[in-house]
Amino acid sequence: MTESALLEVRDLAVAFRTGSGEARAVDGISFDVGAGESLGLLGESGCGKSTTALSILQLLPRGASRVEVGSSIRLEGEELLTSSPARMREVRGGEIGIVFQEPMTSLNPVLRAGDQVAEAVRAHSPLDGARLRQRVESLLEQVGLTEPMEVARAWPHQLSGGMRQRVMIAMALAGEPRLLIADEATSALDVTVQAAILDLLDDLRRERGLALLVITHDPAVARRVTNRLVVMYAGRIVEEGETDAVLDSPAHPYTIGLMQSIPDPERPGTRLASIPGTVPSLGDWPPGCRFHPRCARSQARCSERYPPMLDGHSTRAACWLLDESPS
Amino acid sequence: MTERSGIRRLDRVLPGLSRVYAGGASGAIVPLAWVSLLAVAAWKRQRIAQIIAAPEADGIVALVTMVVLLGITWFFGNRSSRVAPAEGRFGRHRGAVLGLGLLVLLAGAALLAPLLAPFDPNAIDLGAGRLLPPSAAHWLGTDELGRDLLSRTLYGARISLLIGVLAVAIAVTVGTAIGAIAGYAGGWLDTLLMRTVDLFLSLPRLVLLITAMALFRPSLPLIVLLLGLTGWMGVSRLVRGQVLSVREREYIQAARALGFGPSRILGRHILPNVATPIIVAATLGIGNAILAEAALSYLGLGVQPPIASWGSIIQSGADRLTDAWWITTFPGLAIAFTVMSFNLVGDGLRDSLDPRRGE
Amino acid sequence: MGFRLQLVARPGVTTLIRYVGSRLLQAIPLLIGVVTLIFVLLHLAPGDPTSLWFHPDIPPEVMERMRESMGLDLPLHQQYLHWLKSFFTGDFGYSYSHFRPVSAVIGDALPATLLLGGAALLVAFGVGSAVGAWQAVRRGSPTDSFLTVVTLFLYSMPGFWLGLMLILAASTWLAWLGLPVSGMTSVDHASLGPLGRMSDLAGHLVLPTVALGLGSAAGVARFMRGEMLEAIGQDYVRTARAKGLPEGVVIRRHALRNALLPMVSLLGLYLPILFGGAVVIEVVFSWPGMGRTMYDAVLARDYPLVMATSFLFGLLVIAGNLLADLLYAFVDPRVRYD
Ligand SMILES: Nc1ncnc2c1ncn2[C@@H]1O[C@H](COP(=O)(O)OP(=O)(O)OP(=O)(O)O)[C@@H](O)[C@H]1O
Ligand SMILES: [Mg+2]
């Protein structure tokens, strides 16, 4: 990674104010998204995926959260964490678009779908009147809505989940961003709709070179649309590498367990090997490697020091098992 | 440090006093009660001696109240100060603690009025004592008949609180009964009762009260009854909702299978579940009842002379606003702060029961 | 923004009419209920209802005619039907304190009450929602805390007492404002030009409106603050920010619009409070409306007028609720018309 990537996240740490003080939901993660690349962010519920996505656009709830000093988020070398509110408004939608997890609540119920898309267009270009309408129409067409004018006139509650998510994507594309963050954009949809939306995202990347940051808890989604994959556990990155390598020959015991807990369609009936124990809750992180209490192969030093990212067979993982040097 | 240990030692005589250091609701109230009760006893020792020497009904009531209040404080002081989670959330609600403190003071003042009041509230002085502005002798001034307004306002607190509490007691009883009947019976009876709720909600309460007062002769019991009969709708909706949701749950069906009657099911399974929202509604309801009573008394359709109610004191000063502003001003402030205390406590209770709404 | 003009999603006119019709039908049992309630009160009152109509000034033959016209010589159930009929035909009988038909007295008083009630409603919801929304946007600031205390106090305070305090202020240290503290018009009202009359009326309206509306405004503000806080936390507000919209637009177009919707249903709650309050406020300010008329009728034992005014207050609330429901269906696209 010698040349500068489109998005560089370094040592990102985000703390939430909770009932008893502060707790870090994201604790020092780093990754890059190259131009035109599709990076996946995989992890179980609560591991800090959405927090990561929201902190890139500074959309975290004010007052309740804080990005820690020392974090850095750079867009083509420009530091976003210290840029002005006006610049951030340009970035939002104009450079980085985002599609959220919840299609049912992410659209304003009292504005027509078309108006909400038009609003996103207007935020980044001075189009008006008929030209604005054309642009909205073509955006809705691009995201695979066959009757764009009908959809534009509809209220959100009149649209199905898949249609709403397409409207959300049209909105996110309205400012012609170079990076699209899809935060579990398909989790709430049924399988066929999910596949169609994923194909749409993939097409957008191929045709326009739109970089993607695909956040998901589903390895199948990651395999379908991402080139590289980052696996998160309890606010930390545990493994990263080429998507196929991470999914097929993982090095970290957590990733291995995660892959084993997926039912294999070719061998129905085999027992799922799920990981014992539960994900520690926010602020309850164990010392050392956060996975060690649930890890069958944990050693003494696992509970003492957090492992650095180490080279494995075909991926990099934060696990002492990969450490060649004597402990 | 030494100060603290001194107070800790005092704890043996006045249990709970050292809780000032704990902070929060349960921390403040016991010490506040000790200090104010003892201060009153010390300050009014002559009056107390006088009552003991020559007992009269009003004075005895006040003395008994004093003893009872001291006993209650002692009891709560000795009780463990550990708080339940909801209570803790209430305790952290600063406004609610303030409201509760104000209510304790107010209720104490109302009950101890015979001790606290510097004058007989009905003692008339048509000579030089008329329409005196606030002074050292008459803190809140005197009215047209030379009666001391502080004393009248203190006694007025008894009337307002009594009316508010009793009216809401009636409202809760009626509301619970109607809600339970509607929820259990279902069908046309339910529809009829719920339409009745709509009906009572669409006639302005004051209009209904004024109409009724015009037809009947105003009296204290009648006011209480009518305030109760115009304030039950919220509770009945709460109870009905709970009955409907609990009715179909399994354990009720099990209870029914065991042959328990509706009243037992109501007492065991339904009321405990709605008790807290009912308490919230009742707390806010007392404030509303006090406001309605004040308006009625202001119109001369409420409490009749010689009983002093805050609303009727305001009325007595309304036509001499500019030359005796104190007659209207102070009772109005008393109403506002009383109702505010009830609203603070009600809001605090609601927030502590529903964490989503908490600040 | 272009799409609002060519709507197809709105229901057709017939659906709308059918919806209005069905809501109107639902109001009728309520109105019957109001009349019934008054009837029951009247018959529960001590003494024969006929004695209630008695007034020393009425000649016996008029009394007799009155009894017949109200059907008070009939059996109870027929009396009740008679009673219902007279209310629905608007024949409220004769007012003995005004020496005129009740309907004429009410015809004079109703506009004054509608004016005062309307102005107070405007203050309550206009000022109330603005203050509440402002507080929510600046949540936790010193101004927010200050306004929280102020609104709580205003909400807890008796409106009639506020009225008296306003009169006190307007006649002492605010006397230079020259605000009238009584009645609806000045003595020289008739001699003024059209503009002068308007400003005369507006001047008289100020204090009663504040006295009647401020407490409700505080209640509305307390509610609005919560609604707005909730709206600001919604996903679609985050979406709006993610588009790169300026904060002002995010708050106004996205949060505020949604927070205002529940205000419409709050109307139903505040109408009875406002009209009930109007009775006392009209007495405080000698405002020649229905409340004042009702109060005078109570003192004069003019029962036909008392009954008619309380019925009309019920009618106003029911009609207001109906309007609020229709308004809600109109402003919230999610409401289905069935
Ligand atoms: N506003 C907030 N205040 C306090 N804690 C929060 C807040 N938002 C998120 N958290 C906590 O931060 C942690 C990470 O949350 P996040 O939403 O980033 O998880 P996620 O990986 O996106 O999970 P999911 O798959 O459920 O979306 C969780 O423990 C969550 O409870
Ligand atoms: Mg998430």
Side-chain angles (χ1 to χ4, degrees):
Chain A
M1 243 149 276
T2 41
E3 66 193 294
S4 121
L6 177 62
L7 182 77
E8 289 179 3
V9 174
R10 290 288 172 277
D11 303 321
L12 177 67
V14 183
F16 282 111
R17 196 167 300 147
T18 61
S20 49
E22 285 193 343
R24 287 186 175 188
V26 171
D27 194 7
I29 67 171
S30 305
F31 59 86
D32 288 341
V33 187
E37 185 196 20
S38 173
L39 176 74
L41 202 58
L42 180 72
E44 283 174 280
S45 186
C47 71
K49 306 182 300 289
S50 297
T51 306
T52 306
L54 292 174
S55 53
I56 293 171
L57 286 175
Q58 294 173 33
L59 290 172
L60 286 167
R62 274 165 250 184
S65 64
R66 186 160 54 91
V67 176
E68 303 282 4
V69 181
S71 309
S72 160
I73 297 173
R74 265 186 233 161
L75 183 69
E76 285 191 323
E78 176 194 359
E79 179 59 62
L80 293 183
L81 289 176
T82 53
S83 56
S84 69
R87 173 64 188 144
M88 272 320 289
R89 276 205 301 279
E90 286 170 19
V91 171
R92 293 186 194 124
E95 318 252 7
I96 305 175
I98 185 166
V99 180
F100 295 109
Q101 198 165 356
E102 305 85 4
M104 305 318 265
T105 53
S106 291
L107 286 174
N108 188 334
V110 301
L111 291 178
R112 288 172 193 278
D115 286 335
Q116 299 191 49
V117 179
E119 193 180 48
V121 174
R122 284 293 308 272
H124 302 283
S125 73
L127 289 185
D128 237 328
R131 300 239 312 265
L132 176 61
R133 203 167 312 155
Q134 272 168 15
R135 172 90 176 112
V136 170
E137 204 175 335
S138 89
L139 277 167
L140 292 173
E141 225 159 11
Q142 280 168 39
V143 297
L145 290 162
T146 45
E147 291 186 79
M149 284 324 279
E150 288 293 305
V151 174
R153 281 187 213 111
W155 301 103
H157 74 270
Q158 296 169 322
L159 302 174
S160 68
M163 287 164 99
R164 286 190 215 190
Q165 208 55 305
R166 286 174 196 268
V167 172
M168 285 292 296
I169 296 173
M171 265 163 47
L173 295 176
E176 303 191 327
R178 284 173 294 167
L179 171 66
L180 183 71
I181 302 175
D183 183 2
E184 310 253 16
T186 58
S187 308
L189 308 174
D190 56 48
V191 190
T192 44
V193 184
Q194 179 170 353
I197 301 256
L198 291 176
D199 286 344
L200 170 65
L201 292 178
D202 206 36
D203 291 346
L204 287 167
R205 186 181 65 82
R206 283 173 209 280
E207 285 161 21
R208 327 189 166 177
L210 180 70
L212 296 176
L213 176 58
V214 177
I215 294 176
T216 182
H217 62 262
D218 182 355
V221 168
R223 195 190 288 282
R224 190 159 185 148
V225 287
T226 67
N227 319 124
R228 272 192 321 116
L229 188 59
V230 166
V231 181
M232 283 182 76
Y233 181 79
R236 283 271 204 167
I237 290 179
V238 291
E239 183 153 13
E240 66 181 24
E242 299 292 315
T243 303
D244 289 337
V246 171
L247 296 181
D248 294 334
S249 50
H252 197 286
Y254 172 66
T255 322
I256 296 171
L258 200 64
M259 295 313 294
Q260 281 173 351
S261 64
I262 300 170
D264 186 340
E266 271 145 43
R267 288 187 300 163
T270 47
R271 265 191 66 212
L272 298 184
S274 62
I275 310 167
T278 54
V279 184
S281 59
L282 181 61
D284 236 4
W285 309 145
C289 172
R290 284 169 191 180
F291 186 63
H292 85 263
R294 302 173 68 190
C295 183
R297 299 163 66 191
S298 78
Q299 312 164 347
R301 58 179 164 169
C302 292
S303 59
E304 286 156 13
R305 267 196 322 127
Y306 197 88
M309 288 301 274
L310 298 166
D311 281 322
H313 170 61
S314 55
T315 62
R316 286 163 61 75
C319 181
W320 288 120
L321 292 173
L322 300 178
D323 187 19
E324 243 82 286
S325 65
S327 48
Chain B
M1 271 309 158
T2 44
E3 245 179 304
R4 287 198 175 198
S5 57
I7 290 202
R8 292 256 147 76
R9 222 171 300 131
L10 256 182
D11 253 8
R12 247 171 272 155
V13 195
L14 306 176
L17 197 65
S18 64
R19 275 187 219 165
V20 212
Y21 299 122
S26 14
I29 287 181
V30 166
L32 181 75
W34 276 131
V35 170
S36 39
L37 286 176
L38 293 178
V40 168
W43 180 38
K44 293 286 176 180
R45 57 189 181 278
Q46 285 171 347
R47 176 96 172 88
I48 293 173
Q50 194 186 333
I51 293 171
I52 294 170
E56 26 99 21
D58 232 15
I60 289 170
V61 170
L63 271 192
V64 170
T65 311
M66 185 81 182
V67 173
V68 169
L69 284 180
L70 284 169
I72 292 174
T73 313
W74 191 79
F75 173 78
F76 278 103
N78 270 329
R79 234 186 48 162
S80 149
S81 66
R82 285 252 298 284
V83 285
E87 207 179 323
R89 231 177 288 137
F90 181 88
R92 250 179 278 133
H93 207 283
R94 264 179 305 153
V97 176
L98 179 72
L100 194 62
L102 279 173
L103 282 186
V104 169
L105 280 183
L106 193 79
L111 288 168
L112 295 177
L115 263 188
L116 291 174
F119 296 90
D120 177 344
N122 295 319
I124 293 174
D125 176 0
L126 290 176
R130 294 180 66 229
L131 296 176
L132 292 175
S135 65
H138 299 280
W139 290 6
L140 304 185
T142 62
D143 70 2
E144 202 167 20
L145 301 176
R147 295 174 295 195
D148 177 56
L149 274 170
L150 175 60
S151 308
R152 287 180 74 69
T153 305
L154 276 173
Y155 276 86
R158 297 180 139 195
I159 300 299
S160 287
L161 290 178
L162 184 75
I163 290 181
V165 170
L166 289 181
V168 166
I170 293 178
V172 167
T173 313
V174 172
T176 305
I178 291 187
I181 293 172
Y184 267 113
W188 65 270
L189 190 55
D190 182 25
T191 314
L192 181 74
L193 290 174
M194 287 304 109
R195 294 274 101 188
T196 312
V197 168
D198 291 344
L199 168 66
F200 272 85
L201 286 174
S202 57
L203 253 183
R205 189 183 200 182
L206 265 181
V207 167
L208 201 58
L209 288 172
I210 293 171
T211 310
M213 286 305 180
L215 292 169
F216 301 84
R217 177 163 318 182
S219 69
L220 206 60
L222 182 67
I223 291 170
V224 168
L225 186 70
L226 285 173
L227 282 171
L229 292 180
T230 50
W232 51 272
M233 294 80 79
V235 172
S236 78
R237 281 189 171 169
L238 280 175
V239 173
R240 174 178 174 271
Q242 187 65 29
V243 169
L244 289 183
S245 81
V246 158
R247 207 169 80 158
E248 298 316 319
R249 259 183 249 157
E250 271 170 78
Y251 62 95
I252 295 291
Q253 301 199 332
R256 207 178 287 151
L258 288 174
F260 293 137
S263 65
R264 171 111 186 229
I265 297 172
L266 187 72
R268 277 284 179 85
H269 298 290
I270 289 167
L271 288 185
N273 279 312
V274 269
T276 33
I278 287 182
I279 292 171
V280 172
T283 313
L284 301 174
I286 295 178
N288 281 330
I290 290 176
L291 284 177
E293 183 275 329
L296 274 185
S297 296
Y298 168 74
L299 293 176
L301 299 173
V303 180
Q304 299 299 305
I307 302 176
S309 121
W310 288 336
S312 59
I313 303 175
I314 292 179
Q315 188 221 8
S316 72
D319 45 6
R320 38 181 80 252
L321 257 181
T322 38
D323 39 299
W325 55 269
W326 51 91
I327 306 179
T328 26
T329 306
F330 294 119
L333 283 175
I335 299 173
F337 279 105
T338 307
V339 175
M340 195 164 102
S341 309
F342 280 108
N343 286 336
L344 277 172
V345 173
D347 286 355
L349 280 172
R350 190 186 48 211
D351 291 349
S352 62
L353 299 171
D354 178 4
R356 200 178 59 88
R357 286 196 68 106
E359 288 291 284
Chain C
M1 225 181 271
F3 298 102
R4 209 162 297 132
L5 300 172
Q6 27 184 310
L7 318 178
V8 284
R10 284 266 177 234
V13 178
T14 41
T15 355
L16 209 65
I17 290 176
R18 211 176 311 131
Y19 177 72
V20 174
S22 77
R23 296 290 290 107
L24 273 174
L25 278 180
Q26 283 170 26
I28 290 179
L30 269 184
L31 283 176
I32 295 180
V34 173
V35 181
T36 310
L37 190 64
I38 300 171
F39 184 80
V40 169
L41 268 181
L42 194 60
H43 282 265
L44 279 180
D48 188 293
T50 48
S51 70
L52 287 174
W53 308 105
F54 177 76
H55 193 279
D57 295 347
I58 314 169
E61 64 273 14
V62 176
M63 193 65 205
E64 204 46 51
R65 231 181 323 119
M66 184 63 216
R67 242 177 232 155
E68 271 166 35
S69 74
M70 294 298 281
L72 289 175
D73 48 345
L74 301 169
L76 206 61
H77 67 279
Q78 285 188 16
Q79 272 190 46
Y80 174 65
L81 289 178
H82 218 273
W83 177 261
L84 268 183
K85 196 176 127 232
S86 65
F87 274 95
F88 280 93
T89 52
D91 171 19
F92 302 116
Y94 194 80
S95 158
Y96 301 109
S97 59
H98 290 257
F99 307 105
R100 290 199 295 159
V102 167
S103 46
V105 178
I106 285 180
D108 285 349
L110 190 59
T113 289
L114 289 180
L115 180 66
L116 177 59
L121 199 69
L122 225 64
V123 167
F125 280 81
V127 175
S129 16
V131 168
W134 198 90
Q135 280 184 271
V137 171
R138 292 189 176 50
R139 168 189 203 172
S141 67
T143 339
D144 175 30
S145 316
F146 174 73
L147 284 173
T148 301
V149 174
V150 171
T151 50
L152 178 68
F153 182 81
L154 292 178
Y155 175 72
S156 307
M157 167 194 64
F160 68 91
W161 177 74
L162 173 65
L164 291 170
M165 291 296 109
L166 288 174
I167 293 178
L168 177 60
S171 45
T172 52
W173 53 278
L174 286 181
W176 53 272
L177 279 175
L179 276 177
V181 296
S182 159
M184 192 160 93
T185 50
S186 310
V187 272
D188 59 349
H189 186 76
S191 66
L192 297 169
L195 230 95
R197 278 189 214 175
M198 280 250 282
S199 76
D200 183 45
L201 187 60
H204 280 82
L205 195 57
V206 174
L207 293 183
T209 303
V210 173
L212 182 55
L214 204 59
S216 298
V220 171
R222 279 156 55 85
F223 188 78
M224 180 68 181
R225 182 176 178 274
E227 288 300 316
M228 188 71 178
L229 278 179
E230 198 174 321
I232 287 175
Q234 292 293 314
D235 289 341
Y236 53 75
V237 169
R238 192 180 59 189
T239 307
R241 288 207 179 99
K243 291 181 199 175
L245 296 177
E247 189 60 20
V249 175
V250 173
I251 293 297
R252 264 177 283 121
R253 195 182 300 155
H254 292 274
L256 190 60
R257 260 196 203 201
N258 279 281
L260 281 175
L261 284 185
M263 290 298 122
V264 179
S265 8
L266 199 65
L267 263 175
L269 202 70
Y270 274 100
L271 279 177
I273 295 178
L274 278 173
F275 282 122
V279 180
V280 200
I281 296 296
E282 286 183 8
V283 172
V284 171
F285 288 94
S286 305
W287 188 263
M290 296 231 306
R292 168 87 217 218
T293 305
M294 177 181 192
Y295 179 65
D296 288 343
V298 165
L299 295 188
R301 318 220 122 222
D302 185 347
Y303 291 100
L305 192 51
V306 175
M307 301 307 145
T309 43
S310 56
F311 168 72
L312 269 160
F313 273 119
L315 182 70
L316 284 178
V317 172
I318 292 168
N321 273 327
L322 194 66
L323 281 178
D325 275 2
L326 296 180
L327 184 64
Y328 192 85
F330 187 74
V331 294
D332 189 339
R334 285 162 295 188
V335 173
R336 299 250 167 73
Y337 297 85
D338 46 36

